[in-house]
Amino acid sequence: MVSRLHLVVVLVWLSVCQAWQLRKIATLDMPNAAIATVLKNPTTGLYDAVVSTFNAIPLTTDNIYIIRDVAGQIQADQGLIAEVLTDEYAWPNEVGAVPEDVFGRDGIWWTATGFLVPTKTDGVVALMDTRLMVPATTYDISSKAADRTKWFYHRVEWSDMNKDGRIDALTARAYLNTNGTAVCEAVWLEHPRFGDPLTQPWTTNVLFSGPDALFRFEKMTIPGGRQLEVMISAQYFSEKLVVSWVEGLTSSWSDPSKIQHRVIADIPENRYFDIELVDLNLDGNVDLLLSINSETDGKLVAYEIPRDFRTGIWRSHVIAEGFKPSNLIVLEGNGSPGSAHAFYPGPAGDRIKPLILLTGDDDSNVYIFESTADNDPSVWSYTQTSIFYAKGTVGGPAIKDIDGDGYAEVFIPAWSEGTLNVYTFKP
C-alpha cells in the first residue's frame, strides 16, 4: 500500500535579492491525480482548479475534476470539494480554455486524451461546455469514421491556420504501429465553414511528421520587423527539437510543401519533452525553456533564441542535469523530469528574473530553480531546491495567483499517492 505520508518541505530560501517562503494551505484525496490546471470561470469570474486523472489499469474510467472557486474554498477552510467535470474520456491529458474568439463566446474548454496504455490508446480532441451543470456537455471534434487509427493527443493551440477568418485547432498526435514504431505528426483541425462547429468532426489536415505530444505555437519577429508564425515541437520519440514555419506574406499553413523546418537539437537518448517560451534572463528577448526526459540523465535547458530564428545560433545553457526515476526498477516510459514553468512568486518588482517550477515526474520531486545573479542577464546558473516529495510519480503542477493578492499558489498532483496539494507563496 502506498503511504499517504508526504515528506513536506516548508521552505524559506534567502538570497541577496529576495526572500520567499512556501507553505501548504490545502490537500485533497484524489486518486490518480495527474495534471493540474487553473482556469478562470467565465460565469463567476473566479478561478477553478481542474485536474486530469488517469488510471493505468486497463478498462478503468478516468475523470476530469473541477474544484470551483478554489480560493474561496480554501479561505472557508472546510475542505476542498471536487466535482466530476467529465468521465467520458480515456487518459485525459492537458485541459485548457478555448479563446473566446473561436466561437464568439467563452466557457468552452478543451482536453486532449489517450496514451500508450492498453485500452486507453484511442484518444480525441474534445471540447467541454462548462457553462452548464456538471457533468459538462462534451463534443469530440477529432474523430472521423474513415480513420480508425488509435491516435493519442496531449495539447491544443488555437490559430487561423489557412487564413479563412475562422480559428482552427492545432495539435500533435501519435500511435505505435504493429512493429512498435511510433508514427507521429502535426495536424490542424479545420473549423467548419457551415453548421454548428460543436456538433460535427473537424476536417483533419496533416502538416508534417515528427511532433508527437507537446509543442508551442507563437509569432516571432525576424529582422526587418516581419512576424512569422512558428511551431516549436519537442519530439519525444524521434529525439529532436524542431522549429517549423511558413515563409510568405500570408503565412498560411494550408500547403504543407511551403512549410520549412530547422532542427535545433537531435542528441541521441535525449527525449525532448516540453517547452515554454519566456524571457528567462530579462534581457528583453524571449528564450526557450526545455525539459529533456530520461531514464538516466534528464535535463533542464534554456536556449537563447537568435534575432533570426531561422539562421542564427540557438545558444544552450544547461540549468540542471542528472534527473532519473526514483524507482529501483525502471520500466519503459519511466523518466525524469517533466514540464517546467517560469513564474514570479510574489508581487511585481520584488525580483527581476522569474523562478522556474519543474516537476521531476518519476523522480518523485517538484523543484524550484532560482538564478544565482538576479540582475545579470549573462548569468545562467541556478540554485535547485526540492519543495515537494511524494513516493512514486508526481504529476504536472499548475501555478497561479488565485485570490489576487499578488502571491502565487502552486497546485501539485501526486499521482502515485492520489492527492492534490496546494501551497502558497504568501508569507
Side-chain angles (χ1 to χ4, degrees):
M1 178 179 293
V2 177
S3 171
R4 295 289 183 184
L5 179 64
H6 290 148
L7 176 60
V8 179
V9 180
V10 179
L11 168 71
V12 179
W13 178 259
L14 301 176
S15 67
V16 174
C17 58
Q18 165 74 11
W20 54 265
Q21 66 182 23
L22 191 64
R23 59 187 177 89
K24 192 171 188 178
I25 55 175
T27 188
L28 175 66
D29 286 340
M30 183 176 289
N32 308 305
I35 301 175
T37 310
V38 178
L39 299 173
K40 180 170 285 189
N41 188 302
T43 302
T44 64
L46 304 172
Y47 284 109
D48 298 336
V50 184
V51 185
S52 300
T53 68
F54 34 74
N55 192 332
I57 299 175
L59 301 177
T60 53
T61 59
D62 298 309
N63 296 334
I64 298 176
Y65 290 100
I66 183 171
I67 305 171
R68 299 185 185 278
D69 182 16
V70 65
Q73 289 199 39
I74 291 173
Q75 291 168 1
D77 196 26
Q78 296 181 354
L80 297 180
I81 299 174
E83 303 169 75
V84 177
L85 184 62
T86 182
D87 60 359
E88 295 184 23
Y89 301 109
W91 206 276
N93 294 300
E94 291 189 344
V95 176
V98 178
E100 183 178 355
D101 53 355
V102 176
F103 299 111
R105 60 185 175 91
D106 53 20
I108 304 296
W109 294 351
W110 61 264
T111 186
T113 75
F115 196 53
L116 298 176
V117 176
T119 75
K120 303 199 176 187
T121 56
D122 199 358
V124 299
V125 173
L127 306 180
M128 300 175 287
D129 191 339
T130 64
R131 300 171 304 162
L132 306 177
M133 298 294 291
V134 292
T137 303
T138 59
Y139 308 92
D140 174 5
I141 64 170
S142 61
S143 298
K144 56 183 181 179
D147 183 3
R148 300 313 307 155
T149 305
K150 294 183 178 181
W151 299 100
F152 63 80
Y153 305 80
H154 277 73
R155 176 173 291 163
V156 181
E157 300 267 19
W158 299 88
S159 181
D160 183 358
M161 300 299 290
N162 58 350
K163 305 302 178 276
D164 66 351
R166 290 178 294 274
I167 299 177
D168 311 297
L170 173 65
T171 187
R173 62 186 189 180
Y175 75 94
L176 294 186
N177 62 21
T178 55
N179 296 324
T181 302
V183 179
C184 315
E185 57 190 25
V187 300
W188 60 281
L189 308 176
E190 186 172 0
H191 193 140
R193 184 177 179 183
F194 302 106
D196 185 350
L198 292 177
T199 59
Q200 59 183 302
W202 295 19
T203 300
T204 300
N205 300 272
V206 178
L207 290 172
F208 51 89
S209 61
D212 43 47
L214 301 177
F215 65 94
R216 297 292 178 186
F217 190 77
E218 300 285 349
K219 289 183 178 180
M220 289 189 179
T221 302
I222 59 175
R226 188 160 60 96
Q227 286 191 326
L228 294 178
E229 292 179 337
V230 175
M231 182 178 184
I232 305 177
S233 52
Q235 299 181 12
Y236 179 92
F237 289 106
S238 62
E239 299 178 347
K240 293 180 180 179
L241 176 66
V242 179
V243 57
S244 307
W245 70 95
V246 176
E247 294 282 359
L249 297 178
T250 64
S251 294
S252 172
W253 294 76
S254 58
D255 184 355
S257 67
K258 295 183 179 180
I259 301 174
Q260 301 189 43
H261 310 277
R262 182 182 178 190
V263 177
I264 304 303
D266 58 351
I267 301 174
E269 304 302 321
N270 275 4
R271 292 179 173 177
Y272 301 97
F273 188 77
D274 199 4
I275 53 181
E276 185 173 83
L277 295 174
V278 59
D279 187 355
L280 288 169
N281 63 342
L282 270 291
D283 65 352
N285 301 310
V286 173
D287 308 298
L288 187 146
L289 180 61
L290 167 72
S291 56
I292 300 174
N293 188 277
S294 173
E295 297 176 0
T296 56
D297 186 22
K299 300 178 179 66
L300 180 65
V301 180
Y303 278 89
E304 294 184 79
I305 301 176
R307 289 185 64 248
D308 192 334
F309 69 88
R310 303 166 300 175
T311 58
I313 298 174
W314 291 56
R315 300 188 185 280
S316 65
H317 306 275
V318 176
I319 294 174
E321 57 188 334
F323 296 96
K324 60 183 179 180
S326 58
N327 308 13
L328 295 177
I329 300 176
V330 178
L331 303 174
E332 179 63 31
N334 290 159
S336 179
S339 299
H341 306 284
F343 73 99
Y344 288 94
D350 280 358
R351 61 180 303 107
I352 299 174
K353 296 179 183 178
L355 302 179
I356 300 171
L357 179 73
L358 176 73
T359 173
D361 199 352
D362 288 316
D363 87 344
S364 306
N365 291 270
V366 175
Y367 303 95
I368 285 181
F369 295 85
E370 182 176 16
S371 174
T372 59
D374 190 50
N375 60 353
D376 188 344
S378 67
V379 174
W380 288 92
S381 59
Y382 284 75
T383 61
Q384 174 181 333
T385 306
S386 174
I387 62 166
F388 182 85
Y389 175 87
K391 185 177 180 181
T393 298
V394 175
I399 186 160
K400 179 74 70 174
D401 176 8
I402 59 174
D403 52 12
D405 64 0
Y407 292 94
E409 280 71 45
V410 185
F411 295 75
I412 301 175
W415 183 73
S416 296
E417 294 196 353
T419 58
L420 177 68
N421 308 272
V422 188
Y423 293 79
T424 184
F425 285 93
K426 185 176 182 178

